[in-house]
Amino acid sequence: MATKEEEGGPSSRVPHLPWMRNPVDIDSFSGCPVAHLPRLDPRLVKPLQRMGIESFFPVQVAAWLETIGPGAFERDICINSPTGSGKTLAYALPIVQMLATRKVRCLRALVVLPTRDLALQVKEVFDAIAPVVGLSVGSAVGQSSIADEVSNLIEKSKQGLFPSLDEEYIQMEPQTKVDILVATPGRLMDHISMTKGFSLEHLQYLVVDETDRMLREAYQSWLPTVIQLTRSSDQNHSWGVERGFKGKSFPRLAKIVLSATLTQDPSKLSQLELQHPLLLNSGKKRYRIPTKLQSYKLVCKSNLKPLSLIVLLQELRGEKCLVFTSSVESSHRLSTLLEFFEDLPFKFSEYSRLQRESTRRKTLDAFKEGKIDVLIGTDRMARGIHIDGLRYVINYDMPPYVKTYIHRAGRTARAGESGSCFTFLRKHEVKAFDKMLKKADNSSCSLHSLPEESVETLRPVFSSALKKLEESLESEATKKSKLGDKAPNASKRKRTINT
Ligand SMILES: Nc1ncnc2c1ncn2[C@@H]1O[C@H](COP(=O)(O)OP(=O)(O)OP(=O)(O)O)[C@@H](O)[C@H]1O
């Protein structure tokens, strides 16, 4: 059952935690041209330009001013800022700048994200800026075998190369090959428990991206484990205590946590053991959708939803579009059904956790490259993923929570661009949906109607497509049961799937 927190609660509720009540307002900062950002290491200017960054977004300026300069990283930073507002660079840039003066290579910054796709996306940002200041970035996401990952992360023992080295010197050598590691919790835990030489002992920065999602799931207790391992033995983890490194002192572990829907739940946030936290919030409200996002609702009967979707996609004329359904089964059923409509003027594909990782990756790449126009999937695609030029999001099934709406809709209208989110609703869902949008501080949602005759012309094909769909699902179920798969059979699916 959903908690009040997941449902979103009233958008203006006063947070329980005192430090959340008077945040720094990100909206009070203006964008800042790259050349004018105070104290920016000049070596970083070129790579930023290569990334197409001419001016920093307000969240990046706000985070920079709170982390660089006098009192740098004295407080843990919590950022609540809309989807697509540029949160990745808001933490990547200060971390790279702070580590740019490091003398010895060892793991100093750890960024944890919920999925591999997201982690790889974030690694790309670090890869673009870190090497110019001599920093090396690694990933622990399970994209390659654990052995390959280990060899990319850990230096081979010096003893093997130089047997004459004395014991003490060997022990002093940090073994990690990377300064910054971007990880998913599962693979991170694998390395913590199994990889020799993998150490968090020298960690200075811990970033928990998509914090609310990361805190909702325990992922083998990764967070308490990381926090425990980053406490130095002589430290009783009080704020401001310095962490030692072979006689040289380094600042305490600084944390940055962020989301477009940051939790306000004290019991969840307490897991992070934040020290003297500072909240950077966009505006006065708890949630915000991107300024240039247009929301539309389409009211239609369940049985006409697939046809209405086709008509809407025809209207969008092959523009890139993400379609969200409520379950993997629903996505599969919908995409299989669309296959039985001939000559659709758009290319579409399913994107589902039931597919192999390699298939999913190829599909996402094809979508990014524009070889596929429409991707049909679930909330797995909703968090953090950035696709250039994506202007349309369609909620084929109404999102269950306001947070879900924010993350799904937030795949478009990113980085100051405009975009539209269409939501299909049944009549009885309209009231709940309007209420949900109010929580997202989005009170203007126009009704979008589709030409009835366009829907009607598709009806004859629909009947035969539906028949073929049932046959296809039956045959899939038979194949699966022959293979001994315990998946629910097609007739069971029919009851649970909503087309
Ligand atoms: N200063 C900038 N100028 C131009 N583009 C930028 C700038 N900063 C970030 N971007 C681009 O904006 C897009 C969105 O950035 P990012 O993915 O960091 O957003 P986000 O706030 O983390 O979104 P989400 O909450 O959905 O994860 C990216 O394509 C990024 O390259």
Side-chain angles (χ1 to χ4, degrees), residues 324-356:
F324 287 97
T325 71
S326 56
S327 65
V328 281
E329 289 85 359
S330 179
S331 289
H332 182 61
R333 186 175 166 95
L334 179 60
S335 36
T336 312
L337 179 73
L338 292 193
E339 277 165 24
F340 297 118
F341 284 82
E342 279 164 23
D343 303 326
L344 289 178
F346 50 85
K347 289 191 203 97
F348 62 92
S349 183
E350 183 183 352
Y351 181 84
S352 148
R353 71 176 156 76
L354 297 183
Q355 294 167 322
R356 281 165 186 262

mmCIF file of all heavy atoms in Angstrom, residues 324-356:
data_model
loop_
_atom_site.group_PDB
_atom_site.id
_atom_site.type_symbol
_atom_site.label_atom_id
_atom_site.label_comp_id
_atom_site.label_asym_id
_atom_site.label_seq_id
_atom_site.Cartn_x
_atom_site.Cartn_y
_atom_site.Cartn_z
ATOM 1 N N PHE A 324 4.082 5.471 -21.359
ATOM 2 C CA PHE A 324 4.175 4.758 -20.083
ATOM 3 C C PHE A 324 2.903 3.950 -19.823
ATOM 4 O O PHE A 324 1.791 4.480 -19.916
ATOM 5 C CB PHE A 324 4.364 5.739 -18.917
ATOM 6 C CG PHE A 324 5.737 6.328 -18.875
ATOM 7 C CD1 PHE A 324 5.994 7.571 -19.434
ATOM 8 C CD2 PHE A 324 6.793 5.636 -18.285
ATOM 9 C CE1 PHE A 324 7.265 8.121 -19.409
ATOM 10 C CE2 PHE A 324 8.065 6.171 -18.249
ATOM 11 C CZ PHE A 324 8.302 7.414 -18.809
ATOM 12 N N THR A 325 3.095 2.690 -19.474
ATOM 13 C CA THR A 325 1.957 1.864 -19.060
ATOM 14 C C THR A 325 2.163 1.488 -17.593
ATOM 15 O O THR A 325 3.215 1.755 -17.024
ATOM 16 C CB THR A 325 1.864 0.573 -19.884
ATOM 17 O OG1 THR A 325 2.936 -0.274 -19.494
ATOM 18 C CG2 THR A 325 1.932 0.840 -21.382
ATOM 19 N N SER A 326 1.143 0.811 -17.034
ATOM 20 C CA SER A 326 1.213 0.528 -15.595
ATOM 21 C C SER A 326 1.993 -0.734 -15.250
ATOM 22 O O SER A 326 2.315 -0.972 -14.094
ATOM 23 C CB SER A 326 -0.204 0.399 -15.041
ATOM 24 O OG SER A 326 -0.878 -0.595 -15.772
ATOM 25 N N SER A 327 2.271 -1.593 -16.249
ATOM 26 C CA SER A 327 2.984 -2.834 -15.918
ATOM 27 C C SER A 327 3.720 -3.356 -17.150
ATOM 28 O O SER A 327 3.399 -2.952 -18.279
ATOM 29 C CB SER A 327 1.986 -3.904 -15.453
ATOM 30 O OG SER A 327 1.129 -4.239 -16.532
ATOM 31 N N VAL A 328 4.661 -4.258 -16.922
ATOM 32 C CA VAL A 328 5.381 -4.830 -18.064
ATOM 33 C C VAL A 328 4.431 -5.613 -18.963
ATOM 34 O O VAL A 328 4.569 -5.624 -20.186
ATOM 35 C CB VAL A 328 6.557 -5.746 -17.635
ATOM 36 C CG1 VAL A 328 7.751 -4.935 -17.231
ATOM 37 C CG2 VAL A 328 6.190 -6.724 -16.568
ATOM 38 N N GLU A 329 3.444 -6.263 -18.334
ATOM 39 C CA GLU A 329 2.479 -7.041 -19.134
ATOM 40 C C GLU A 329 1.675 -6.101 -20.033
ATOM 41 O O GLU A 329 1.434 -6.389 -21.200
ATOM 42 C CB GLU A 329 1.514 -7.823 -18.229
ATOM 43 C CG GLU A 329 2.144 -8.990 -17.499
ATOM 44 C CD GLU A 329 2.805 -8.558 -16.200
ATOM 45 O OE1 GLU A 329 2.788 -7.347 -15.885
ATOM 46 O OE2 GLU A 329 3.351 -9.421 -15.486
ATOM 47 N N SER A 330 1.275 -4.984 -19.470
ATOM 48 C CA SER A 330 0.492 -4.027 -20.231
ATOM 49 C C SER A 330 1.320 -3.470 -21.408
ATOM 50 O O SER A 330 0.815 -3.328 -22.522
ATOM 51 C CB SER A 330 0.038 -2.907 -19.292
ATOM 52 O OG SER A 330 -0.683 -1.959 -19.981
ATOM 53 N N SER A 331 2.613 -3.181 -21.144
ATOM 54 C CA SER A 331 3.492 -2.698 -22.223
ATOM 55 C C SER A 331 3.607 -3.745 -23.320
ATOM 56 O O SER A 331 3.551 -3.425 -24.509
ATOM 57 C CB SER A 331 4.907 -2.446 -21.698
ATOM 58 O OG SER A 331 4.929 -1.347 -20.875
ATOM 59 N N HIS A 332 3.762 -4.998 -22.911
ATOM 60 C CA HIS A 332 3.943 -6.077 -23.883
ATOM 61 C C HIS A 332 2.682 -6.252 -24.720
ATOM 62 O O HIS A 332 2.727 -6.371 -25.940
ATOM 63 C CB HIS A 332 4.282 -7.379 -23.154
ATOM 64 C CG HIS A 332 4.520 -8.522 -24.089
ATOM 65 N ND1 HIS A 332 5.518 -8.511 -25.031
ATOM 66 C CD2 HIS A 332 3.855 -9.698 -24.254
ATOM 67 C CE1 HIS A 332 5.473 -9.628 -25.730
ATOM 68 N NE2 HIS A 332 4.474 -10.361 -25.284
ATOM 69 N N ARG A 333 1.566 -6.233 -24.024
ATOM 70 C CA ARG A 333 0.291 -6.418 -24.715
ATOM 71 C C ARG A 333 0.053 -5.268 -25.714
ATOM 72 O O ARG A 333 -0.325 -5.513 -26.862
ATOM 73 C CB ARG A 333 -0.838 -6.490 -23.669
ATOM 74 C CG ARG A 333 -2.186 -6.831 -24.237
ATOM 75 C CD ARG A 333 -3.196 -7.002 -23.106
ATOM 76 N NE ARG A 333 -4.543 -6.997 -23.604
ATOM 77 C CZ ARG A 333 -5.230 -8.095 -23.901
ATOM 78 N NH1 ARG A 333 -4.690 -9.276 -23.740
ATOM 79 N NH2 ARG A 333 -6.464 -8.009 -24.347
ATOM 80 N N LEU A 334 0.330 -4.068 -25.265
ATOM 81 C CA LEU A 334 0.104 -2.912 -26.134
ATOM 82 C C LEU A 334 1.020 -2.953 -27.361
ATOM 83 O O LEU A 334 0.578 -2.770 -28.491
ATOM 84 C CB LEU A 334 0.330 -1.617 -25.339
ATOM 85 C CG LEU A 334 0.153 -0.307 -26.098
ATOM 86 C CD1 LEU A 334 -1.259 -0.167 -26.654
ATOM 87 C CD2 LEU A 334 0.457 0.886 -25.193
ATOM 88 N N SER A 335 2.308 -3.232 -27.114
ATOM 89 C CA SER A 335 3.204 -3.218 -28.285
ATOM 90 C C SER A 335 2.907 -4.387 -29.222
ATOM 91 O O SER A 335 3.006 -4.238 -30.446
ATOM 92 C CB SER A 335 4.680 -3.173 -27.897
ATOM 93 O OG SER A 335 4.911 -3.907 -26.773
ATOM 94 N N THR A 336 2.492 -5.541 -28.660
ATOM 95 C CA THR A 336 2.133 -6.665 -29.538
ATOM 96 C C THR A 336 0.897 -6.294 -30.364
ATOM 97 O O THR A 336 0.839 -6.567 -31.561
ATOM 98 C CB THR A 336 1.851 -7.946 -28.704
ATOM 99 O OG1 THR A 336 2.907 -8.105 -27.768
ATOM 100 C CG2 THR A 336 1.746 -9.185 -29.575
ATOM 101 N N LEU A 337 -0.043 -5.652 -29.707
ATOM 102 C CA LEU A 337 -1.267 -5.248 -30.424
ATOM 103 C C LEU A 337 -0.945 -4.300 -31.584
ATOM 104 O O LEU A 337 -1.427 -4.471 -32.702
ATOM 105 C CB LEU A 337 -2.236 -4.572 -29.439
ATOM 106 C CG LEU A 337 -3.549 -4.071 -30.042
ATOM 107 C CD1 LEU A 337 -4.478 -5.235 -30.359
ATOM 108 C CD2 LEU A 337 -4.259 -3.106 -29.105
ATOM 109 N N LEU A 338 -0.067 -3.325 -31.308
ATOM 110 C CA LEU A 338 0.259 -2.349 -32.359
ATOM 111 C C LEU A 338 0.907 -3.021 -33.575
ATOM 112 O O LEU A 338 0.768 -2.562 -34.702
ATOM 113 C CB LEU A 338 1.188 -1.260 -31.804
ATOM 114 C CG LEU A 338 0.612 -0.305 -30.756
ATOM 115 C CD1 LEU A 338 1.530 0.880 -30.536
ATOM 116 C CD2 LEU A 338 -0.774 0.222 -31.132
ATOM 117 N N GLU A 339 1.609 -4.136 -33.306
ATOM 118 C CA GLU A 339 2.243 -4.842 -34.425
ATOM 119 C C GLU A 339 1.217 -5.330 -35.445
ATOM 120 O O GLU A 339 1.541 -5.540 -36.609
ATOM 121 C CB GLU A 339 3.030 -6.050 -33.912
ATOM 122 C CG GLU A 339 4.415 -5.670 -33.430
ATOM 123 C CD GLU A 339 5.044 -6.772 -32.604
ATOM 124 O OE1 GLU A 339 4.653 -7.950 -32.777
ATOM 125 O OE2 GLU A 339 5.907 -6.444 -31.771
ATOM 126 N N PHE A 340 -0.020 -5.541 -35.009
ATOM 127 C CA PHE A 340 -1.037 -6.056 -35.925
ATOM 128 C C PHE A 340 -1.774 -4.958 -36.696
ATOM 129 O O PHE A 340 -2.719 -5.234 -37.423
ATOM 130 C CB PHE A 340 -2.023 -6.958 -35.158
ATOM 131 C CG PHE A 340 -1.339 -8.167 -34.578
ATOM 132 C CD1 PHE A 340 -1.296 -8.374 -33.205
ATOM 133 C CD2 PHE A 340 -0.690 -9.070 -35.407
ATOM 134 C CE1 PHE A 340 -0.634 -9.464 -32.667
ATOM 135 C CE2 PHE A 340 -0.027 -10.169 -34.874
ATOM 136 C CZ PHE A 340 0.002 -10.366 -33.498
ATOM 137 N N PHE A 341 -1.351 -3.735 -36.479
ATOM 138 C CA PHE A 341 -1.865 -2.641 -37.314
ATOM 139 C C PHE A 341 -0.823 -2.395 -38.401
ATOM 140 O O PHE A 341 0.333 -2.118 -38.083
ATOM 141 C CB PHE A 341 -2.048 -1.362 -36.490
ATOM 142 C CG PHE A 341 -3.245 -1.374 -35.613
ATOM 143 C CD1 PHE A 341 -3.205 -1.994 -34.373
ATOM 144 C CD2 PHE A 341 -4.435 -0.770 -36.019
ATOM 145 C CE1 PHE A 341 -4.309 -2.018 -33.554
ATOM 146 C CE2 PHE A 341 -5.545 -0.790 -35.202
ATOM 147 C CZ PHE A 341 -5.498 -1.417 -33.963
ATOM 148 N N GLU A 342 -1.250 -2.519 -39.640
ATOM 149 C CA GLU A 342 -0.251 -2.338 -40.698
ATOM 150 C C GLU A 342 -0.083 -0.857 -41.030
ATOM 151 O O GLU A 342 -0.973 -0.051 -40.796
ATOM 152 C CB GLU A 342 -0.691 -3.104 -41.948
ATOM 153 C CG GLU A 342 -0.327 -4.576 -41.806
ATOM 154 C CD GLU A 342 -1.045 -5.447 -42.790
ATOM 155 O OE1 GLU A 342 -1.480 -4.940 -43.832
ATOM 156 O OE2 GLU A 342 -1.181 -6.645 -42.480
ATOM 157 N N ASP A 343 1.072 -0.559 -41.579
ATOM 158 C CA ASP A 343 1.366 0.791 -42.090
ATOM 159 C C ASP A 343 1.217 1.915 -41.063
ATOM 160 O O ASP A 343 0.745 3.007 -41.393
ATOM 161 C CB ASP A 343 0.466 1.124 -43.300
ATOM 162 C CG ASP A 343 0.634 0.098 -44.410
ATOM 163 O OD1 ASP A 343 1.767 -0.389 -44.552
ATOM 164 O OD2 ASP A 343 -0.365 -0.205 -45.074
ATOM 165 N N LEU A 344 1.568 1.644 -39.837
ATOM 166 C CA LEU A 344 1.535 2.755 -38.872
ATOM 167 C C LEU A 344 2.660 3.735 -39.245
ATOM 168 O O LEU A 344 3.768 3.299 -39.572
ATOM 169 C CB LEU A 344 1.742 2.231 -37.438
ATOM 170 C CG LEU A 344 0.573 1.446 -36.850
ATOM 171 C CD1 LEU A 344 0.902 0.938 -35.459
ATOM 172 C CD2 LEU A 344 -0.703 2.298 -36.804
ATOM 173 N N PRO A 345 2.377 5.024 -39.174
ATOM 174 C CA PRO A 345 3.401 5.979 -39.633
ATOM 175 C C PRO A 345 4.462 6.278 -38.576
ATOM 176 O O PRO A 345 4.997 7.381 -38.521
ATOM 177 C CB PRO A 345 2.563 7.227 -39.943
ATOM 178 C CG PRO A 345 1.403 7.131 -39.019
ATOM 179 C CD PRO A 345 1.135 5.693 -38.768
ATOM 180 N N PHE A 346 4.722 5.348 -37.696
ATOM 181 C CA PHE A 346 5.783 5.541 -36.690
ATOM 182 C C PHE A 346 6.368 4.179 -36.349
ATOM 183 O O PHE A 346 5.703 3.151 -36.460
ATOM 184 C CB PHE A 346 5.243 6.223 -35.421
ATOM 185 C CG PHE A 346 3.996 5.576 -34.862
ATOM 186 C CD1 PHE A 346 4.095 4.483 -34.009
ATOM 187 C CD2 PHE A 346 2.736 6.047 -35.198
ATOM 188 C CE1 PHE A 346 2.954 3.873 -33.497
ATOM 189 C CE2 PHE A 346 1.588 5.447 -34.695
ATOM 190 C CZ PHE A 346 1.698 4.352 -33.852
ATOM 191 N N LYS A 347 7.657 4.203 -35.964
ATOM 192 C CA LYS A 347 8.314 2.944 -35.558
ATOM 193 C C LYS A 347 8.279 2.899 -34.048
ATOM 194 O O LYS A 347 8.636 3.872 -33.382
ATOM 195 C CB LYS A 347 9.761 2.923 -36.040
ATOM 196 C CG LYS A 347 9.880 2.772 -37.527
ATOM 197 C CD LYS A 347 11.342 2.495 -37.880
ATOM 198 C CE LYS A 347 11.611 2.892 -39.307
ATOM 199 N NZ LYS A 347 12.186 4.209 -39.478
ATOM 200 N N PHE A 348 7.887 1.744 -33.522
ATOM 201 C CA PHE A 348 7.775 1.663 -32.064
ATOM 202 C C PHE A 348 8.477 0.409 -31.551
ATOM 203 O O PHE A 348 8.752 -0.524 -32.304
ATOM 204 C CB PHE A 348 6.299 1.639 -31.646
ATOM 205 C CG PHE A 348 5.564 0.434 -32.177
ATOM 206 C CD1 PHE A 348 5.472 -0.732 -31.417
ATOM 207 C CD2 PHE A 348 4.993 0.457 -33.433
ATOM 208 C CE1 PHE A 348 4.824 -1.841 -31.913
ATOM 209 C CE2 PHE A 348 4.346 -0.657 -33.943
ATOM 210 C CZ PHE A 348 4.263 -1.811 -33.179
ATOM 211 N N SER A 349 8.758 0.415 -30.256
ATOM 212 C CA SER A 349 9.357 -0.772 -29.654
ATOM 213 C C SER A 349 9.009 -0.841 -28.170
ATOM 214 O O SER A 349 8.740 0.177 -27.531
ATOM 215 C CB SER A 349 10.870 -0.713 -29.828
ATOM 216 O OG SER A 349 11.433 -1.878 -29.317
ATOM 217 N N GLU A 350 9.038 -2.064 -27.674
ATOM 218 C CA GLU A 350 8.785 -2.290 -26.245
ATOM 219 C C GLU A 350 10.107 -2.127 -25.492
ATOM 220 O O GLU A 350 11.163 -2.443 -26.034
ATOM 221 C CB GLU A 350 8.267 -3.731 -26.127
ATOM 222 C CG GLU A 350 7.873 -4.179 -24.777
ATOM 223 C CD GLU A 350 7.444 -5.656 -24.819
ATOM 224 O OE1 GLU A 350 7.316 -6.242 -25.924
ATOM 225 O OE2 GLU A 350 7.269 -6.219 -23.735
ATOM 226 N N TYR A 351 10.043 -1.641 -24.264
ATOM 227 C CA TYR A 351 11.252 -1.527 -23.429
ATOM 228 C C TYR A 351 10.855 -2.036 -22.054
ATOM 229 O O TYR A 351 10.081 -1.397 -21.343
ATOM 230 C CB TYR A 351 11.680 -0.056 -23.362
ATOM 231 C CG TYR A 351 12.919 0.198 -22.556
ATOM 232 C CD1 TYR A 351 14.181 0.042 -23.115
ATOM 233 C CD2 TYR A 351 12.839 0.618 -21.229
ATOM 234 C CE1 TYR A 351 15.325 0.299 -22.382
ATOM 235 C CE2 TYR A 351 13.979 0.868 -20.483
ATOM 236 C CZ TYR A 351 15.209 0.713 -21.061
ATOM 237 O OH TYR A 351 16.347 0.962 -20.338
ATOM 238 N N SER A 352 11.371 -3.230 -21.718
ATOM 239 C CA SER A 352 10.828 -3.861 -20.519
ATOM 240 C C SER A 352 11.900 -4.637 -19.762
ATOM 241 O O SER A 352 12.853 -5.148 -20.364
ATOM 242 C CB SER A 352 9.703 -4.802 -20.964
ATOM 243 O OG SER A 352 9.610 -5.911 -20.134
ATOM 244 N N ARG A 353 11.707 -4.739 -18.457
ATOM 245 C CA ARG A 353 12.683 -5.491 -17.661
ATOM 246 C C ARG A 353 12.632 -6.983 -17.984
ATOM 247 O O ARG A 353 13.514 -7.741 -17.598
ATOM 248 C CB ARG A 353 12.503 -5.240 -16.167
ATOM 249 C CG ARG A 353 11.274 -5.860 -15.578
ATOM 250 C CD ARG A 353 11.191 -5.666 -14.083
ATOM 251 N NE ARG A 353 9.831 -5.747 -13.623
ATOM 252 C CZ ARG A 353 9.144 -6.867 -13.487
ATOM 253 N NH1 ARG A 353 9.717 -8.021 -13.763
ATOM 254 N NH2 ARG A 353 7.894 -6.854 -13.092
ATOM 255 N N LEU A 354 11.590 -7.426 -18.692
ATOM 256 C CA LEU A 354 11.520 -8.841 -19.060
ATOM 257 C C LEU A 354 12.450 -9.142 -20.237
ATOM 258 O O LEU A 354 12.741 -10.285 -20.541
ATOM 259 C CB LEU A 354 10.086 -9.240 -19.432
ATOM 260 C CG LEU A 354 9.053 -9.126 -18.307
ATOM 261 C CD1 LEU A 354 7.699 -9.615 -18.775
ATOM 262 C CD2 LEU A 354 9.489 -9.903 -17.066
ATOM 263 N N GLN A 355 12.897 -8.071 -20.906
ATOM 264 C CA GLN A 355 13.822 -8.281 -22.023
ATOM 265 C C GLN A 355 15.240 -8.416 -21.482
ATOM 266 O O GLN A 355 15.537 -7.974 -20.378
ATOM 267 C CB GLN A 355 13.774 -7.073 -22.974
ATOM 268 C CG GLN A 355 12.443 -6.912 -23.663
ATOM 269 C CD GLN A 355 12.334 -5.546 -24.348
ATOM 270 O OE1 GLN A 355 12.794 -4.535 -23.824
ATOM 271 N NE2 GLN A 355 11.701 -5.532 -25.507
ATOM 272 N N ARG A 356 16.107 -9.011 -22.330
ATOM 273 C CA ARG A 356 17.512 -9.097 -21.946
ATOM 274 C C ARG A 356 18.095 -7.686 -21.859
ATOM 275 O O ARG A 356 17.682 -6.806 -22.612
ATOM 276 C CB ARG A 356 18.308 -9.815 -23.045
ATOM 277 C CG ARG A 356 18.184 -11.281 -23.048
ATOM 278 C CD ARG A 356 18.701 -11.775 -24.389
ATOM 279 N NE ARG A 356 18.470 -13.196 -24.498
ATOM 280 C CZ ARG A 356 19.406 -14.095 -24.248
ATOM 281 N NH1 ARG A 356 20.615 -13.724 -23.942
ATOM 282 N NH2 ARG A 356 19.119 -15.374 -24.323
#
